Amino acid sequence: MLTITESNRDLAVEVSKFMSYLLRHNPRDLQIDDKGFVRLSNLLKRVKERYDVNETFIRDIAHAGDKVRFQILNGKIRALYGHTIEVEVELPEDEGVKILYHGTTAAAASEILKGGLGPMKRRFVHLSATREIAREVGKRRTRNPAILVIDAEKARRDGIRFHKATDSVYLSKRIPPKYVKKLE
Ligand code: HQG
């Protein structure tokens, strides 16, 4: 299987999910380093145990997928966000971002407005660059997501940092409710 086309898009999604699982949650014997990288050849070998794909296909998923999730550098690959395992991706801090968004269920939104936004099972809280992206994130869980607006400028003044994983995904630590509003 060479490149991603209309006819193998489902396979690309499946392989991408498997790659996310390995690189974010369970790298097992892939010899992941402290920055979250594994050798692309090691990852390919593992993926090939399940799927008939080649390195071009993996590179296509990393570079031309629906959403940027991975980084390939010097023959190694890592997930840029989403980790539950302890790795230091060392993403750059964005010192200028003013507003960020978070899409979730109505029930989670009301909890967050009371008690703050937490990373839950992941290492960091995940925020979206735009309300449209937040809506897509929320739609993974519910048909009609609630969109929360994070006052990143105010939070930063109080020492909360925002790190840019990709053009659409930002990471932060726990965000207290005073920086969070619901978009009506
Ligand atoms: C919720 C996907 C109750 C939070 C997406 C969310 C994203 C609370 C859930 C990335 C809470 C955690 C991450 C509180 C947070 N009370 N619920 N105090 N604080 N929550 O999956 O942001 O496609 O860990 O609202 O697109 O949904 O995999 O985080 O609903 O970019 O690349 O707890 O994962 O990217 O869920 O998604 P998650 P998320 P990929």
Side-chain angles (χ1 to χ4, degrees):
M1 204 62 71
L2 266 168
T3 52
I4 302 173
T5 62
E6 215 40 68
S7 63
N8 60 26
R9 198 163 301 275
D10 291 353
L11 175 67
V13 170
E14 239 187 274
V15 174
S16 174
K17 285 189 175 172
F18 186 47
M19 287 162 57
S20 287
Y21 169 72
L22 296 170
L23 296 170
R24 293 172 176 178
H25 313 300
N26 190 4
R28 288 179 281 178
D29 57 352
L30 287 176
Q31 293 177 294
I32 196 160
D33 72 14
D34 53 356
K35 307 258 194 299
F37 280 109
V38 311
R39 295 218 63 81
L40 189 54
S41 53
N42 288 349
L43 182 89
L44 179 62
K45 210 162 102 192
R46 173 63 49 76
V47 172
K48 272 171 166 286
E49 288 167 11
R50 286 203 194 187
Y51 303 100
D52 183 19
V53 298
N54 61 13
E55 187 175 321
T56 310
F57 198 73
I58 303 287
R59 286 184 179 273
D60 249 33
I61 288 172
H63 295 140
D66 59 320
K67 188 175 170 188
V68 178
R69 297 184 169 88
F70 309 100
Q71 179 185 35
I72 296 177
L73 204 66
N74 304 327
K76 294 180 183 173
I77 183 167
R78 68 177 173 183
L80 283 166
Y81 62 88
H83 298 87
T84 54
I85 53 168
E86 283 196 29
V87 293
E88 291 302 331
V89 180
E90 293 180 337
L91 299 167
E93 182 180 353
D94 186 324
E95 294 178 63
V97 65
K98 291 187 166 64
I99 300 283
L100 289 165
Y101 302 87
H102 181 82
T104 190
T105 61
S110 62
E111 287 303 311
I112 291 164
L113 288 167
K114 278 186 272 172
L117 179 53
M120 312 310 273
K121 292 195 174 94
R122 302 191 204 257
R123 293 205 62 205
F124 297 102
V125 163
H126 286 60
L127 302 168
S128 302
T130 67
R131 66 178 80 178
E132 291 76 20
I133 296 164
R135 195 171 155 71
E136 290 309 310
V137 173
K139 276 191 156 185
R140 287 153 53 239
R141 302 188 190 285
T142 177
R143 268 183 50 192
N144 199 10
I147 308 299
L148 299 172
V149 186
I150 316 304
D151 190 339
E153 195 172 29
K154 185 168 155 202
R156 189 166 40 248
R157 271 191 245 124
D158 298 341
I160 296 176
R161 295 199 297 248
F162 297 89
H163 295 269
K164 190 174 182 176
T166 70
D167 284 349
S168 30
V169 181
Y170 285 75
L171 305 187
S172 193
K173 296 270 170 70
R174 215 190 80 80
I175 299 182
K178 65 174 166 181
Y179 308 111
V180 186
K181 268 191 319 204
K182 193 168 165 196
L183 198 74
E184 298 302 340

